[in-house]
Amino acid sequence: RVMTQDALGKSIPWRYRFGFPTLGRKWIDSAAEGTVPGTARQARICVGADTPNIGPGRYLWIAEAAFLERDPDATWDLRVSRIPDVRDTVGKEDFSAYRGAASTNGVVSFRDDGMTLLDGKPIFPFGPSSVRKCKLNGFSFDTAMAQLKAIGCNLVHGYTQIGTPECEEFVAACAKHGLLTMLETADRKSVGAARDREIAGNVARMRNRGVMLAWVVGDDTANYRTPEEVMRDTMVCRAADPTARTISVDVVTYEGRHYPYAHACDAVSPELYPFRNETPEPDALEKVVLNQRNAINDNRRAGAIGKGLLPVLQAFSGWKEWKRYPTYDEVRG
């Protein structure tokens, strides 16, 4: 049985209501103590409000949550994050209560101004998305990575499924040539506990390989994934490796699209589409700047400090939306 206690030491039920002030910024302090069951794998904090509710632009802070007494044979860790808007996150988050060891090399972080750091040193990630074997690289990832490294790239993105021989070849080539990569956390069709296990296993495979810039937790994210799903993937990644970073890849054509996900991941990769017409577009550069500003403004409005921004310019061969590849001047612009 889990016993709890409020800030004054009074025993109360393990599930109870916190009081919120109607106005002002007064802190409401409360503490809960109990015994973690030996078979427990997760801790859940559910937050809901009736009156007054937590509206846009207001935040609920949960601080200093920790297991004070730990099983000496276990590594428990309770991670708590702000909820950007309870209407978007349904007032709920799940928190992993177990922890893997941190990576020792290739550790990526983001400075408060969004600058990407690798092992504590600033880098500017630059490289192509969806690197594949093809005729131009002799159907060899090793050749492809050598070619990309030679022209100054330090990042490649791939769609190879982790655990497959092709992915192992892809990652080995990245490590050999000193390139970072971004891979999806799990198969897009996996859900629930099976997805959690797949993510934890994938992170474990990539730890200390020195190649992971970030784990992709969504592609066209707002179309297919909820903030809770993205947050859960992030928390499972962090449980397996506290240094793991996650990124949402999404088209951010209007302000507010990324806002519900601002706290659910560590970085956003705005998909930019300025090269669809048959002739160069006069406002192409303006579109590129605007879409990035939308993502930045969403993070700022949500109070999401220290989030990365890795824009990707989109141009595809064989898709009806694209009549041509961008010109040299357009890319350099």
Side-chain angles (χ1 to χ4, degrees):
R1 179 187 173 117
V2 177
M3 301 298 294
T4 61
Q5 208 173 48
D6 66 12
L8 301 177
K10 180 181 177 182
S11 295
I12 52 178
W14 70 272
R15 180 176 294 169
Y16 59 98
R17 295 173 180 266
F18 290 92
F20 287 92
T22 303
L23 297 172
R25 297 177 176 272
K26 180 181 177 182
W27 288 97
I28 301 298
D29 295 323
S30 186
E33 296 182 358
T35 301
V36 178
T39 57
R41 299 298 293 171
Q42 292 180 329
R44 172 174 290 182
I45 296 177
C46 297
V47 179
D50 185 8
T51 302
N53 205 345
I54 305 172
R58 295 184 177 182
Y59 305 97
L60 170 67
W61 290 78
I62 304 175
E64 298 180 5
F67 290 114
L68 300 180
E69 296 183 9
R70 303 184 179 185
D71 181 342
D73 297 324
T75 53
W76 295 93
D77 187 26
L78 183 65
R79 300 178 178 279
V80 184
S81 177
R82 283 188 301 175
I83 299 175
D85 188 330
V86 295
R87 298 177 308 167
D88 296 322
T89 60
V90 198
K92 178 182 73 175
E93 294 192 33
D94 292 331
F95 305 92
S96 299
Y98 58 94
R99 180 180 62 189
S103 291
T104 56
N105 69 307
V107 175
V108 172
S109 58
F110 297 101
R111 210 165 57 190
D112 283 352
D113 60 1
M115 184 70 188
T116 305
L117 305 177
L118 178 63
D119 291 330
K121 298 179 181 180
I123 64 167
F124 183 82
F126 173 75
S129 178
S130 188
V131 174
R132 305 167 188 256
K133 294 180 180 179
C134 64
K135 187 176 180 180
L136 291 175
N137 56 44
F139 299 95
S140 165
F141 282 134
D142 182 67
T143 301
M145 304 309 177
Q147 292 171 339
L148 293 170
K149 186 70 173 181
I151 61 173
C153 294
N154 59 12
L155 172 68
V156 294
H157 171 249
Y159 285 104
T160 57
Q161 182 64 42
I162 297 177
T164 63
E166 184 169 83
C167 185
E168 282 300 313
E169 184 183 346
F170 178 91
V171 171
C174 288
K176 177 181 177 181
H177 296 283
L179 296 170
L180 296 171
T181 188
M182 300 191 300
L183 299 172
E184 297 198 21
T185 54
D187 187 284
R188 296 186 185 186
K189 295 180 181 179
S190 63
V191 296
R195 181 177 183 86
D196 291 350
R197 289 192 296 270
E198 186 178 353
I199 292 173
N202 287 339
V203 173
R205 288 187 185 93
M206 295 297 111
R207 290 184 63 254
N208 297 325
R209 303 285 290 270
V211 299
M212 288 303 303
L213 174 72
W215 292 94
V216 178
V217 289
D219 193 356
D220 294 335
T221 306
N223 289 349
Y224 303 107
R225 309 213 68 203
T226 66
E228 300 100 315
E229 291 171 332
V230 171
M231 173 66 81
R232 186 174 185 86
D233 281 6
T234 294
M235 302 310 286
V236 175
C237 283
R238 295 279 183 82
D241 177 4
T243 68
R245 295 293 177 262
T246 59
I247 186 168
S248 166
V249 183
D250 203 358
V251 53
V252 192
T253 51
Y254 60 89
E255 193 169 311
R257 181 176 169 92
H258 176 64
Y259 175 75
Y261 302 85
H263 290 276
C265 52
D266 298 297
V268 58
S269 181
E271 296 177 294
L272 309 173
Y273 300 89
F275 311 121
R276 294 195 180 191
N277 292 344
E278 293 182 358
T279 56
E281 304 165 53
D283 60 346
L285 184 58
E286 181 182 345
K287 290 180 181 178
V288 167
V289 173
L290 175 62
N291 281 258
Q292 294 178 84
R293 282 180 176 169
N294 288 339
I296 292 171
N297 289 340
D298 278 354
N299 279 336
R300 286 176 176 170
R301 187 160 60 94
I305 305 300
K307 299 293 183 177
L309 180 75
L310 288 82
V312 55
L313 293 170
Q314 301 277 46
F316 295 91
S317 175
W319 288 25
K320 63 181 181 180
E321 288 86 353
W322 282 267
K323 308 297 189 299
R324 61 181 178 86
Y325 276 119
T327 65
Y328 178 87
D329 289 339
E330 286 174 324
V331 173
R332 299 301 297 179

